[in-house]
Amino acid sequence: YNTKLTDAGGKELVSGLGHLPLQDLDLRIRDTQVAEETGVALGKSLRSLPSLDKLNLELSDTRMGDASGSALGEALRCCPLISKLTVVLYNTKLTDAGGKELVSGLGHLPLQDLDLRIRDTQVAEETGVALGKSLRSLPSLDKLNLELSDTRMGDASGSALGEALRCCPLISKLTVVLYKTKLTDAGGESLALGLKGESLQDIEVWLNGYGLRIGRSFALLPADITADCDSVQFETADTGGRALATGFKLPQLKNLDIRLFETSIGDATASALGEALRHCPRISRLKMSLYKTKLTDAGGESLALGLKGESLQDIEVWLNGCAVSDLTAVALGSALGGCKQLTRVNLMMSGTKCSEQDLAATCAVIPKKDVAFFLNGTRVEVGGICGQPSTKHPMTRINPAKWGITGKQLMNLVGRVKVEFTGRRANPTVYTVVEEVIKPVCSSTNASYAILVNPQGISCQTFVSHAWFESFLEFVNNLRTCYSDFEDRAFWICFLANPQTWPRKELQGLLGTTVFQSPFFLAMQQCEEFLVVRNTNVNLYTRLWCVTELILAVAELRCPIKVVGEMPFFEEMNDGLRIGLDAECYCDVDRALLRGVLAGSGVNVDEWVANAVRATRGAVLNQ
């Protein structure tokens, strides 16, 4: 992928596959100029591979279309042994003519694991209905991932998929991505009826107008989409919310991450979620993001009643900006106090009607003393707020430009992360690494991780700008593959340079009253290179801090601005994302401060952000 390959070489390449006794084929030629000739030749070769058991085809960002789709669908009928299949054809010229032929071939396979991604194409209802028909012929499916967003599918497709899911009783892990489609409540509710499989343990459903992939398994409600993607009314949103919540009454569920933020759902949906959770006694990890919704105490208290699961160990509840008060805070505290297996709690309730006293009282009822309790991003002691460290901490006497870490030390941290996170948790985000590794390691000294491993500090060569929602391992790999002297190079990385255990108010004091006093800017000025590290989880320029760092580098620095890493495949420049000047910052004080800096920079912010998003790997923006 990302080569100069065209049909001239592509069709010759894939023609050679038909002469091999293949059982496992992984072919990725995305982001090239190959088109129909290659797709048809690939289909012909696959028809000569009856022994195939596993097949992965990543053909996105090419010029393939209906002829390729039809050829691949016909080929699948000739491969009767395939049990694991991945087909990625997003951002191609596929329409219903080829799409329905492609998915029709799926029903002839003994599939147990299917990953089908045809988003950002022109396929519509005929393909969706044909897909549903094929899925009904796959009763042995265990894992199913369907990414059908940015297509013309609608209610007929939603209904067909819902009916198909009821014919797949063995599915344990399900992902359905249908955002930016023609789906309305009519199809959404029908789809929700299919989420009652007895084997389901991990669910991920995207039905919103736009989405951001964070976390392992979560549901986004069709609250802000209609046929023309305009916002629907509050009552309609709660109708869809209740229907979706009903689908979560799954006693076998273990992990559930529900993100309904910035939608029009309200108390009816929250109450339905609370009731659904009472039917899920095995949930051990639960995250609910309901911030900036219509939620009030009526729904908050009902929701809290569902948080009494005996198996709950890790819970996050985000209610920022909702009209809830101490009634909801007390209800949450009372519910959590009964969770005997609890090890970690994260409550985000800034911008509500709850006072600090109300929130502190919420912590007081937690019986276990070893619970890691985070309130609005700050760790607190069970029973009250932690004492704040002194701002005269020794690390403040070290030049911020020396709050660095070497590549070798970073690899040592990678080793620790790989030990801590295994199995389904083997690819944590930076956020998770900070919470579960960095903070515990640094809690005894209240220093940053960089100062912990380099007590005298080290001079940094590269300032790293990145987003915390990224995969930690992907982040480190992007750095490692960028430099031949990686192990000896010193990096300034915010989550390792800044002290993560300090309370928010004291950390705010460390950052200064203006950006130009912050450790970030002081370090940027003294580094010899500014490095933008993109990632495949999230567009980093949806984060206002990342936008500000880039613009400061453009306006104030004279060092090279280099770009590494890949953007998310589905949102490189998604018009639905709030990036650049519209990027978000969860701290109101920081938001106003950073937007003031951008406004006075004299730099075309959106142009430079677009340059960083579209740049090829290794490009230097300011050459």
Side-chain angles (χ1 to χ4, degrees):
Y1 55 80
N2 194 22
T3 61
K4 297 184 182 298
L5 190 68
T6 68
D7 268 344
K11 63 182 179 181
E12 297 298 326
L13 169 65
V14 299
S15 295
L17 301 175
H19 300 274
L20 305 175
L22 290 172
Q23 296 181 353
D24 188 335
L25 171 60
D26 184 351
L27 176 66
R28 310 181 206 182
I29 50 176
R30 58 179 171 82
D31 197 13
T32 63
Q33 298 300 308
V34 298
E36 298 289 47
E37 291 185 38
T38 300
V40 171
L42 174 59
K44 183 177 180 181
S45 288
L46 292 177
R47 293 199 297 273
S48 303
L49 302 176
S51 299
L52 267 183
D53 173 47
K54 298 177 182 178
L55 176 61
N56 179 44
L57 300 176
E58 296 191 16
L59 314 173
S60 57
D61 292 292
T62 64
R63 297 179 179 180
M64 291 187 182
D66 293 332
S68 300
S70 298
L72 292 175
E74 182 181 350
L76 291 177
R77 295 182 176 88
C78 301
C79 301
L81 302 181
I82 294 178
S83 61
K84 183 175 182 179
L85 174 65
T86 297
V87 179
V88 185
L89 275 167
Y90 57 76
N91 195 23
T92 60
K93 298 185 180 298
L94 193 67
T95 70
D96 267 344
K100 63 182 179 181
E101 297 298 325
L102 169 65
V103 299
S104 294
L106 302 175
H108 300 270
L109 306 176
L111 288 172
Q112 297 180 7
D113 189 332
L114 172 60
D115 184 351
L116 176 66
R117 303 177 230 172
I118 52 176
R119 55 183 169 79
D120 198 14
T121 62
Q122 298 300 309
V123 297
E125 298 288 48
E126 290 186 40
T127 300
V129 172
L131 175 58
K133 182 178 179 181
S134 288
L135 292 177
R136 291 199 298 274
S137 302
L138 303 176
S140 299
L141 266 184
D142 174 46
K143 297 177 182 178
L144 176 61
N145 179 49
L146 300 176
E147 295 191 15
L148 314 173
S149 57
D150 289 290
T151 64
R152 297 179 179 180
M153 292 187 182
D155 293 332
S157 299
S159 298
L161 292 176
E163 181 181 349
L165 291 175
R166 294 195 287 276
C167 299
C168 302
L170 301 182
I171 291 180
S172 62
K173 184 173 183 178
L174 172 66
T175 299
V176 180
V177 184
L178 276 165
Y179 65 78
K180 282 195 173 180
T181 60
K182 303 291 185 182
L183 193 69
T184 70
D185 274 338
E189 292 186 44
S190 298
L191 176 62
L193 294 176
L195 305 181
K196 297 183 178 182
E198 295 182 357
S199 301
L200 274 175
Q201 298 182 20
D202 195 325
I203 304 177
E204 185 171 337
V205 183
W206 298 50
L207 303 175
N208 61 312
Y210 65 93
L212 192 66
R213 178 178 288 274
I214 309 168
R216 184 181 297 106
S217 53
F218 58 96
L220 283 173
L221 144 94
D224 55 356
I225 61 169
T226 60
D228 56 1
C229 293
D230 288 331
S231 295
V232 297
Q233 297 300 310
F234 167 64
E235 292 80 5
T236 305
D238 258 340
T239 299
R242 288 195 300 268
L244 191 60
T246 300
F248 290 132
K249 293 182 179 180
L250 303 171
Q252 71 276 11
L253 269 184
K254 296 179 181 179
N255 302 310
L256 182 60
D257 191 336
I258 306 173
R259 300 193 177 224
L260 310 177
F261 56 87
E262 295 180 344
T263 66
S264 298
I265 62 99
D267 294 333
T269 296
S271 298
L273 285 173
E275 181 184 354
L277 290 173
R278 292 196 288 276
H279 292 79
C280 303
R282 297 184 182 179
I283 289 183
S284 60
R285 301 188 67 189
L286 173 65
K287 181 170 183 177
M288 293 185 294
S289 297
L290 298 169
Y291 61 82
K292 292 186 180 180
T293 62
K294 305 288 186 180
L295 189 66
T296 70
D297 280 330
E301 290 184 89
S302 298
L303 180 64
L305 293 176
L307 306 182
K308 297 182 178 182
E310 294 182 358
S311 301
L312 270 179
Q313 298 179 23
D314 189 328
I315 181 168
E316 290 194 30
V317 181
W318 293 53
L319 301 178
N320 317 54
C322 295
V324 296
S325 68
D326 61 318
L327 296 177
T328 296
V330 170
L332 288 171
S334 176
L336 297 175
C339 299
K340 298 179 181 179
Q341 303 298 320
L342 205 60
T343 59
R344 180 179 177 274
V345 177
N346 184 20
L347 293 183
M348 301 295 288
M349 299 184 68
S350 61
T352 66
K353 299 178 181 178
C354 299
S355 66
E356 289 293 331
Q357 290 78 12
D358 296 330
L359 296 176
T362 303
C363 315
V365 297
I366 306 298
K368 292 181 64 181
K369 297 299 183 184
D370 56 348
V371 173
F373 199 111
F374 298 87
L375 189 58
N376 293 334
T378 300
R379 181 162 183 169
V380 299
E381 296 290 353
V382 172
I385 304 295
C386 292
Q388 298 183 356
S390 168
T391 54
K392 301 196 181 296
H393 190 282
M395 74 168 285
T396 62
R397 295 195 291 268
I398 301 173
N399 185 338
K402 293 188 174 183
W403 297 356
I405 184 171
T406 66
K408 184 175 182 179
Q409 291 168 336
L410 199 53
M411 291 307 297
N412 291 337
L413 179 59
V414 167
R416 181 167 190 151
V417 167
K418 288 184 175 180
V419 171
E420 295 280 345
F421 298 86
T422 58
R424 290 166 59 87
R425 304 182 68 221
N427 191 25
T429 65
V430 169
Y431 266 119
T432 303
V433 170
V434 168
E435 294 295 338
E436 300 188 28
V437 178
I438 302 300
K439 287 185 176 181
V441 168
C442 298
S443 60
S444 61
T445 63
N446 270 335
S448 70
Y449 186 87
I451 296 302
L452 186 68
V453 296
N454 298 302
Q456 306 303 316
I458 56 173
S459 296
C460 296
Q461 298 159 280
T462 301
F463 181 97
V464 180
S465 180
H466 68 111
W468 285 30
F469 284 132
E470 68 197 345
S471 157
F472 171 76
L473 298 180
E474 179 187 12
F475 167 71
V476 175
N477 188 59
N478 280 328
L479 294 180
R480 185 176 59 81
T481 56
C482 185
Y483 298 101
S484 58
D485 62 342
F486 168 75
E487 288 198 351
D488 297 322
R489 179 169 284 266
F491 301 90
W492 202 98
I493 304 170
C494 59
F495 73 95
L496 300 174
N498 290 322
Q500 301 301 329
T501 56
W502 288 22
R504 183 176 294 276
K505 287 184 179 180
E506 187 154 356
L507 187 57
Q508 198 70 43
L510 178 67
L511 296 179
T513 57
T514 74
V515 170
F516 302 98
Q517 296 175 332
S518 69
F520 295 84
F521 186 70
L522 296 175
M524 286 170 59
Q525 287 181 304
Q526 297 183 49
C527 287
E528 61 188 41
E529 182 181 62
F530 182 96
L531 184 69
V532 174
V533 181
R534 303 177 300 194
N535 68 90
T536 56
N537 278 1
V538 60
N539 184 331
L540 76 165
Y541 293 115
T542 59
R543 320 309 324 149
L544 195 57
W545 265 108
C546 294
V547 175
T548 304
E549 288 171 355
L550 174 64
I551 298 308
L552 283 174
V554 172
E556 303 290 341
L557 307 185
R558 296 294 181 267
C559 65
I561 302 174
K562 189 175 181 180
V563 179
V564 297
E566 294 185 3
M567 293 294 295
F569 302 143
F570 60 98
E571 59 180 22
E572 289 192 354
M573 281 301 291
N574 191 321
D575 291 337
L577 291 177
R578 300 180 65 181
I579 63 175
L581 288 170
D582 294 324
E584 274 297 329
C585 178
Y586 295 121
C587 176
D588 292 339
V589 175
D590 284 355
R591 186 186 302 113
L593 183 68
L594 298 180
R595 286 186 174 163
V597 171
L598 295 177
S601 66
V603 172
N604 188 327
V605 175
D606 289 336
E607 179 181 345
W608 278 96
V609 167
N611 290 342
V613 167
R614 294 170 176 155
T616 58
R617 295 183 64 175
V620 178
L621 297 183
N622 55 347
Q623 270 188 338

